[in-house]
Structures are given as structure tokens and as C-alpha cells.
Amino acid sequence: MFKHFLVPLDGSLLAEAALPAAVFLAGKLGARVTLFHVVEKNAPSEVHGQSHLRNAEDAAAYLRRLSQGAFPPGIVVDCHVHAAEADDVADSIVAHADELAHDLVIMCSHGRGQALHLFLGSIAQKVIALGSRPVLITHPDDQGGAPAFACNNILVPLDGDAAHAQALPVSEEIARACGAALHLMMVIPRFASLSGAAKVSSRMLPATTSRILEMASQDAQETFRKQLETLRGQGLTASAHVLRGDPAQTIAKAASHARVDLIVLGTHGKTGMEAFWAGSVTHRICTLSKISLLLIPLPKA
């Protein structure tokens, strides 16, 4: 389980929205935290409409203030400033993986829509694509501040692929540490919500495609029945749901309805914003929901 968090910060209040998750999970998991800043080449004076750190001295002082003010006694907090000017923040985060030996990166999304697309493409998704560390993406509140973080309900969307199910053991350990309920979900598309190559083939064989989708729904029910027996036998509070519709929209809506605090997804970290399902489901969930998202990198195919 996670024992060392890396929290990249740029000096903005938006970036600090990642801190409540770091504080909460560090306390539950007994992890230490490293606050991290990369001195960017030709850094702007402002970022997200707020003051931006531009030199190593200011960054070091800023990180020290946060380490002393944002974390309660008992949590070990280190500060690290990459003083050599860097062109690419994501590359720098990945490059520090071996040096700092962190096992989880926690960062704020900084926005929604196109801004979030750019963020995920250049930072979080790139960290996963280039490295092997999971990334926890948090969101600021409506005022751009740091919302409180809790972990009472964890949602684990699955798609029947054994590789993606590797997100489940991580979710189980977090659920145990936090005393959280675990909710498994599989979304089987309806005929009308198919996309990509599946949509093309469905038009050629509509009856067959509908039958295949129905069989997939039945198989998912049986798979979840067995998984629930195992999880509940281990003392975990767990539920499982097979739903029909557009995967990203259905997951986001169900997560909101169930008051989920954390969504855990497995991803192969493909570039071009490809997620673990065709159609960039991970990215679409982020644009549709402000629930924290934990991305677990899977072995490259």
C-alpha cells in the first residue's frame, strides 16, 4: 500500500486543493509526504490567475510554510525543489520517481472542460504513460479552494478485462484503512450508446450485437456475485451493480447519486488521452464529475 506521497505544487491555491487528500490519506495509511515544486523555464508571474512561484528560494520557503501549517503532528513531511529550470513539469515529476521513491502522486485537476483536457494530457496522463506511479486527481471547490476530503465510499468501475481488475486490490486496501464501503460497477453499453469500431459492427449485425450485450450483462452479474462473496467474507462492506448505458455518463451519475468519495480506475496510460476503455472514459469521467479519481497504471500490453 502507499507509503510515500508526492504532491506537486506551483504556488496557487488551486494546486493546494490536493492537500486535504494528502493529509487524510497520509493519516490513514501511515504515509509520509513530499511537497514538490519544479522551477519552470520562463515561468509566468501568474498561474490560474494567482501568483506563481518563479525561483527556488521562494519555492522552498513556500513549501516549508505548507509543511508546517497544512499537516498535523505525526505526519512526516519533506520538501523538495527541483531548482534547475525545466521545460516540462510532467517529465520532471517522472524523472524524480527513483530519486524520491514515492509510490503515489497527488495533484489537483486545476479545471474542467478544455482546461482539464490539457491538464490530463500534459500532466497526470503523461505521468502515468511515462512512469509507473499511480496518480490521485482531486478537484477544487466551486470557489477554487481546497474542499475537505473523506473516504467513506469507493467506486471501482470494471469492464470485464482481467487487467483492469488490478485496480480492485488497491481499492480493497484503501477501503480497509479508511473503513470505507466498496462499490463495484460494470456498465454494459446499450445498442444506441456503442461507439468506435463496436458501433460500426453493430450496424451490420444489430440482432447479434444486442444479444452479445445482454449476455455480457448476465456474465457480469455472475462475476460480481462471486466477488461480493469474497469481499464480504473478508469483512468488507461491499456492493456491486451492473448498469446499462454510456459508460462515462453512467459512472459519473451513479457516483454522484451514491455520494462516492473516490473513483478508482485502471489505465494502460496510453497517450492521446486514450483511457482503459475506448472512447477516453477516464477523461470523460473527469470532465463530468468532480469526485477524486485514482488512476492505477497497468502493465503495458
Side-chain angles (χ1 to χ4, degrees), residues 151-154 156 167-184 227-240:
C151 193
N152 299 311
N153 291 283
I154 301 173
V156 188
L168 187 53
V170 175
S171 306
E172 292 175 25
E173 292 197 48
I174 296 175
R176 289 190 184 93
C178 298
L182 201 57
H183 306 284
L184 310 185
Q227 288 179 318
L228 282 180
E229 287 181 359
T230 300
L231 293 172
R232 290 169 177 169
Q234 296 172 352
L236 288 168
T237 300
S239 67

Side-chain angles (χ1 to χ4, degrees), residues 155 158 184-190 193 213 216-217 220-221 224 240-247 249-255 257 277:
L155 177 64
L158 300 169
L184 310 185
M185 178 180 293
M186 190 177 298
V187 181
I188 308 298
R190 296 186 185 278
S193 61
L213 293 174
S217 179
Q221 296 280 5
F224 277 167
H241 310 273
V242 178
L243 303 177
R244 303 294 300 272
D246 175 82
Q249 292 180 1
T250 304
I251 290 168
K253 183 177 180 180
H257 181 74
W277 283 321

Side-chain angles (χ1 to χ4, degrees), residues 123-140:
I123 305 293
Q125 190 71 8
K126 190 171 183 180
V127 168
I128 288 181
L130 297 178
S132 59
R133 271 47 171 187
V135 177
L136 173 59
I137 301 169
T138 67
H139 299 266

